[in-house]
Amino acid sequence: MDEDILWDNFTSSGDSFSDFMVDIEDHLSNIVKQTAKIPETLNDNIKAFIAAIDWTEQWIISLLIFHIVLFLLIITTRKKITFQSIIFFIICLFIGLSERINSYLSNHWREFAKQDYFDKHGVFISIMFSGPLLVI
């Protein structure tokens, strides 16, 4: 008999406890939504991406210089079809290997960078490495 009373008290208090936990979860969720500054528009996303990158890192500067030099090389050799074909093949090779490059850099980022830019989806390498190569 006492066991039934204890069980009833436990289950009834369990319901109020679960309600209490749901209320806490809702309250914390509202606080996070109010204080989190999640980019909502494309412009906000671009600004957040640019702000997240340390543009003074040597390897990022080198990557930008690589893209500029490659672009100038393509412009200056625009009438040399064979050379342009070789450059195109190399660019396609780089883009094809970008997933493997991302994986390698993800494992070794501490050797050359201050923070890990290389996620498993390859967003950073797609934007900073493959994207400009596709545009060129």
Side-chain angles (χ1 to χ4, degrees):
M1 186 73 150
D2 290 334
E3 291 174 0
D4 291 335
I5 294 172
L6 288 174
W7 179 252
D8 289 341
N9 286 339
F10 177 74
T11 56
S12 67
S13 66
D15 289 341
S16 63
F17 180 74
S18 65
D19 292 341
F20 174 72
M21 291 306 292
V22 167
D23 289 342
I24 288 177
E25 182 182 2
D26 290 341
H27 182 69
L28 288 175
S29 177
N30 288 334
I31 289 173
V32 168
K33 286 177 184 176
Q34 291 172 357
T35 58
K37 295 183 180 181
I38 300 171
E40 295 178 4
T41 65
L42 176 64
N43 193 23
D44 291 342
N45 280 311
I46 292 171
K47 287 178 183 178
F49 180 82
I50 290 171
I53 297 172
D54 183 2
W55 296 97
T56 61
E57 289 196 51
Q58 190 65 37
W59 74 275
I60 292 180
I61 294 170
S62 300
L63 181 63
L64 295 174
I65 290 171
F66 164 75
H67 288 304
I68 292 168
V69 168
L70 185 61
F71 177 73
L72 293 174
L73 181 67
I74 289 171
I75 296 297
T76 58
T77 62
R78 68 182 175 272
K79 294 183 181 181
K80 298 179 180 172
I81 301 299
T82 305
F83 191 74
Q84 289 280 307
S85 299
I86 292 169
I87 292 174
F88 178 74
F89 175 74
I90 292 170
I91 287 173
C92 289
L93 185 67
F94 281 160
I95 292 170
L97 292 173
S98 66
E99 184 178 351
R100 290 184 181 173
I101 294 169
N102 185 63
S103 177
Y104 177 81
L105 294 176
S106 177
N107 293 330
H108 296 91
W109 68 269
R110 287 179 182 87
E111 299 171 14
F112 61 90
K114 296 176 186 172
Q115 60 182 337
D116 185 8
Y117 295 100
F118 307 99
D119 64 332
K120 66 179 179 178
H121 302 291
V123 173
F124 180 80
I125 198 163
S126 296
I127 293 172
M128 294 295 291
F129 180 70
S130 299
L133 290 178
L134 288 170
V135 171
I136 291 176

